[in-house]
Structures are given as structure tokens and as C-alpha cells.
Amino acid sequence: MTHLNHHMQKDSKKFWGNSPRRLLFTMGALCIVASLLSACSAAPSALAPEGYGAREIGRLSWILIAMGTVVYLGVGGFALLALFHRGRGSFDDAPDAHDTEGNRSRQIMLWGGLVMPAVVLLVIFGLTLNTLISLSALARSDEITIDVIGHQWWWEVQYPEQGIISANEIHVPVGRSVRINLEASGVIHSFWVPQLHGKLDMIPGHTNTFHIRADAPGEYRGICAEFCGIQHAKMLFLVIAHPPEEFEQWLAQESQPAASPESASAQAGRELFNELTCNECHAIGGTDAVGLLGPDLTHFASRREIGSGIMENNRDNLSGWIENAQASKPGNLMPAFSLTETELTALVDYMETLK
Ligand code: CUA
């Protein structure tokens, strides 16, 4: 490296001094490092679409990236040309040097500075309008409506036609247009499932609507894309796309009230749920727990994650969450509880019956 640098310095001094070549070299190296770093991220990519909207937006993105690359290379090429031409001063030898050069500058400004950018921007404008029109096509054929309400920091999910209330997990049928109504309580959030659709803001007192369609069964990560407080980064959810019959089964299961616990420990857990006032914040269908401040827990055990996507839904994580939800998600509304080992086991046993 040192040798190369040294060699370069000698080289550049010989031709056109130190700085331009060194600057170009540094910029090139930075570009390579930046592109390597960006490949490290494991986040779901909007450029790996599995749904109608994301596919349309992805196509537009690739066209914009291609056009941007051409413009970048063009401008970079002219910049290099300017560097190479420095100091040659060929025009100075011509008799009408100033007139010719002035005329040429005006031509370059007219075509390169006005006509070309206008054409490029008009093309982009047309393509963007076309994508917006394509996105609205799903609205004509929606078959199911889901209301999603953003809270600090979790997602309430309602299926108004079926009377289902859930949280942090949105189940949809594959290949069907789903209407999503977005609302928020308190502060603004933004609903984003990169592989299915672009993002849309959730605004208190206002309903924003869009349509999504998943084209393949699977689990798609959703995130909050608008800073909404200290736990904004821990406000995740899942969209789970099922084949149509499987989705109907899920709807049927989810419409049921909570199962009655059978084991003595789980029954004790159900009593504790009320004694500890869990019922004042959480609802469990078919019981006298009707709280609305926190997620509905009627079918909690069938959900994949706890704490709005921050950890897997298993016994250990659930015990930790019940004892002290502030440890893993400081600032959320759930207080810490000091419980005996038996009480904690009973509560977890009860929660695990809520399939
Ligand atoms: Cu909700 Cu950020």
C-alpha cells in the first residue's frame, strides 16, 4: 500500500500535481468501502419484493438507480475531462479565442444544464405517475379489510368484519388484495413492510389507507419507519401470508374466545391475571379481562413474538417479560412485577393455554 502510494505520488507529480489524483483515489476507495458495508445489513430489502406494491416500486427504483448511474458517470466523465485538459489552453492560440469559447460555454450550459436535466426529470415524473396509478389498481378488488393502530410501541390489529382483535402480527391471504386502514394513538408512526409495499404514515385522528397483496406464502418483517419515541427501533411486527384455505382456518380459530385452562397451575394463573390487575390493561376474549391499554391476549400463545417483535415467544422470554418488561423495553407501559416462582410459573402456564 505504502509502495503504491509512493508510486502514485511520483506519478501524479509528473503529470498534474498531487491533489486531483489523490482525491479521486480516496473517493474511489470510500465508494468501495461504503458498498461493502451496506451489504452487511440483514434488514428486509425493498429490492427483494414478494408483493404487488413492492414489485412496482422496486421496478421504478431500479430504473431510477440506472438513470442516476448514467448521470453520475456522465458528470464524472466530464469532471475527469476537465482535469486532463487543464493547462493546455488550446483556445488561447486561436484568433477569436474568447468569442469561440464563450459561445461554446453557452451551448454547454443550454444543453447540459437545462435541456438534459429537464428531459431526465420529465421522464422520472412520468414513470413515477405511472407507478402510482399501478399501485391504486389493487383498490378496485379488495376482499378483506384490516385496521392497524400504532401505539407506543406496538401495533393493534383489528379485522372489523370478523370481530377479531390481535396485536403485532397481521395475517393475510396470499394473492388477494387487502385493504389496510392506518391510525395512531398519541404520536405519528409509519407502517412499512419493505417486501410488500412502500411505507405509509399513521397519524392520530386521521385514517390513511392503502392496499397490499402478498404474492407468496411467508413471514414478512414490518417496521415502524417514523421516529415515535425512545423505543421506536423496537416497534416491529410480522405479516404472515397464508394460502387461502389456511387463512380461512386462521380466521375461524382467531374468532373463538380464549380456551379454558385445564391444569391447576394454569387455572391459578388465570386468577392471578386478575389479582395482579393484568386485566386492567389486557383483554382476553371470553373472560372478564377487558383492558384496552395493552395488546389483546386472547390468542397470545399462537403468536410468534413478544414485545412487538423484539424476541421469540417462548417460556423463558415470556417469564422475563412478565417479571420486568422494563429491562428489555424501557419506557413501555408494562410495569415490573415481583412474583414468587410459583406465581410466575402459574401465569406463564396460563398464557401458554391462550392458543
Ligand atoms: Cu412507532 Cu416509530
Side-chain angles (χ1 to χ4, degrees):
M1 199 62 188
T2 326
H3 177 74
L4 186 71
N5 250 333
H6 184 65
H7 190 70
M8 271 194 46
Q9 275 175 14
K10 256 169 62 186
D11 249 17
S12 51
K13 265 183 200 136
K14 216 187 301 175
F15 292 110
W16 12 271
N18 247 337
S19 40
R21 193 161 177 179
R22 186 182 286 171
L23 182 69
L24 281 176
F25 182 78
T26 313
M27 281 169 66
L30 281 177
C31 284
I32 292 168
V33 170
S35 56
L36 286 178
L37 280 179
S38 65
C40 293
S41 153
S45 172
L47 295 176
E50 292 289 350
Y52 176 81
R55 219 177 294 282
E56 294 295 312
I57 295 167
R59 189 177 304 132
L60 178 66
S61 304
W62 281 118
I63 295 172
L64 294 185
I65 289 169
M67 288 176 76
T69 307
V70 170
V71 170
Y72 179 79
L73 290 178
V75 172
F78 282 120
L80 280 176
L81 211 62
L83 282 177
F84 275 113
H85 274 268
R86 205 172 66 167
R88 286 202 186 160
S90 55
F91 290 118
D92 290 343
D93 307 332
D96 294 324
H98 287 294
D99 275 3
T100 319
E101 201 172 358
N103 196 26
R104 203 169 122 158
S105 299
R106 273 191 296 277
Q107 289 288 321
I108 291 175
M109 271 196 280
L110 177 68
W111 289 98
L114 286 173
V115 177
M116 223 170 69
V119 170
V120 169
L121 291 176
L122 272 176
V123 169
I124 289 175
F125 180 63
L127 290 169
T128 307
L129 277 187
N130 187 47
T131 302
L132 284 174
I133 292 167
S134 308
L135 288 180
S136 64
L138 283 184
R140 288 193 290 272
S141 59
D142 60 43
E143 294 181 42
I144 179 162
T145 299
I146 303 175
D147 298 339
V148 184
I149 301 144
H151 297 275
Q152 277 175 315
W153 295 275
W154 60 281
W155 313 78
E156 184 177 341
V157 183
Q158 301 185 354
Y159 294 68
E161 291 145 17
Q162 291 79 9
I164 292 169
I165 302 179
S166 182
N168 304 327
E169 226 178 67
I170 301 173
H171 293 249
V172 297
V174 165
R176 295 196 180 156
S177 169
V178 177
R179 178 190 172 95
I180 307 235
N181 295 325
L182 299 173
E183 291 156 51
S185 76
V187 302
I188 296 178
H189 306 270
S190 181
F191 182 97
W192 192 26
V193 190
Q195 287 184 280
L196 296 184
H197 204 287
K199 59 187 84 159
L200 190 62
D201 275 358
M202 314 172 87
I203 298 163
H206 175 86
T207 304
N208 273 340
T209 295
F210 69 167
H211 294 78
I212 62 166
R213 191 185 78 199
D215 289 336
E219 293 183 8
Y220 304 108
R221 173 58 71 202
I223 57 182
C224 180
E226 176 73 47
F227 182 75
C228 55
I230 194 83
Q231 295 300 338
H232 156 71
K234 289 187 176 174
M235 187 169 168
L236 311 169
F237 63 103
L238 278 178
V239 172
I240 299 169
H242 302 274
E245 306 99 70
E246 203 178 291
F247 178 70
E248 293 303 324
Q249 282 167 20
W250 181 84
L251 280 183
Q253 167 67 20
E254 203 74 6
S255 309
Q256 300 294 315
S260 283
E262 283 170 10
S263 77
S265 172
Q267 283 171 359
R270 183 170 61 179
E271 299 304 314
L272 266 175
F273 194 84
N274 291 346
E275 282 167 29
L276 295 166
T277 66
C278 306
N279 61 337
E280 289 182 11
C281 292
H282 296 283
I284 297 178
T287 75
D288 48 10
V290 290
L292 294 173
L293 273 180
D296 184 291
L297 299 175
T298 308
H299 297 284
F300 168 81
S302 67
R303 303 210 280 257
R304 278 121 172 114
E305 297 171 329
I306 314 180
S308 199
I310 65 171
M311 52 185 146
E312 192 192 329
N313 186 359
N314 61 36
R315 258 196 105 83
D316 278 354
N317 288 342
L318 178 57
S319 304
W321 179 263
I322 292 173
E323 270 191 307
N324 188 4
Q326 297 301 319
S328 45
K329 201 164 177 177
N332 87 82
L333 285 180
M334 176 129 157
F337 291 92
S338 52
L339 303 169
T340 66
E341 199 67 35
T342 324
E343 286 173 329
L344 186 60
T345 306
L347 262 181
V348 173
D349 282 345
Y350 174 50
M351 298 301 299
E352 293 208 318
T353 67
L354 302 175
K355 289 257 191 323

